Amino acid sequence: MKKIVFIAMLSIAIGCKSTKTNSKSTTMNLKSLHTEQKAVQTHLLFQPTDAKVISLQIAKNEQLKEHITKVPALLVCVSGKATYNDEKGTSVTLQSGDYFNIPVNVKHWVDAHEKSNFLLIK
């Protein structure tokens, strides 16, 4: 499982770019995790509990409807542009390389502004 997560994260790290967010949240990007001048670097990003890596695609102007996760989840944007929102008022715009730790038992949804692909790690 660790190899799958590492390979998935490594494959999307190429070509990452930063995005702007609202004042209630901070967008995290894979590129910012690796600050040392080394040829190969690793960083533990997420420890899955359910051992699943799911590919998710949302069409332009469509929505992953409101739902709740019972286990911690990591949402990684591979391509496209979308916004994660939740019932607590968190709103995060995600683009290639951006990721967000989805909290347990919080209603959330994702709106795609363009065709978007994600990895969902649980």
Side-chain angles (χ1 to χ4, degrees):
M1 181 63 198
K2 286 183 182 180
K3 284 184 181 180
I4 293 171
V5 172
F6 176 74
I7 291 168
M9 299 309 293
L10 185 60
S11 68
I12 63 174
I14 299 169
C16 298
K17 55 185 174 181
S18 300
T19 60
K20 295 179 182 178
T21 63
N22 70 10
S23 60
K24 293 183 180 182
S25 61
T26 302
T27 298
M28 297 170 282
N29 192 280
L30 296 170
K31 203 174 192 179
S32 64
L33 295 175
H34 305 287
T35 57
E36 297 180 47
Q37 295 300 319
K38 293 182 176 178
V40 177
Q41 299 177 48
T42 63
H43 182 88
L44 179 61
L45 187 62
F46 185 76
Q47 185 109 23
T49 57
D50 209 15
K52 291 182 185 176
V53 178
I54 301 163
S55 174
L56 168 66
Q57 183 177 66
I58 307 172
K60 180 179 181 176
N61 298 323
E62 294 296 329
Q63 181 182 75
L64 174 62
K65 296 195 185 304
E66 186 178 279
H67 63 284
I68 295 173
T69 181
K70 300 291 183 188
V71 297
L74 180 70
L75 182 64
V76 182
C77 184
V78 177
S79 65
K81 183 177 181 182
T83 302
Y84 165 94
N85 294 287
D86 68 30
E87 66 184 346
K88 292 183 174 184
T90 304
S91 182
V92 180
T93 298
L94 301 166
Q95 293 183 15
S96 179
D98 294 337
Y99 62 95
F100 185 77
N101 284 291
I102 301 172
V104 175
N105 296 322
V106 174
K107 248 183 242 184
H108 61 277
W109 57 97
V110 179
D111 295 303
H113 308 295
E114 55 190 59
K115 182 177 173 182
S116 301
N117 291 283
F118 301 91
L119 292 177
L120 181 61
I121 305 167
K122 295 181 172 188

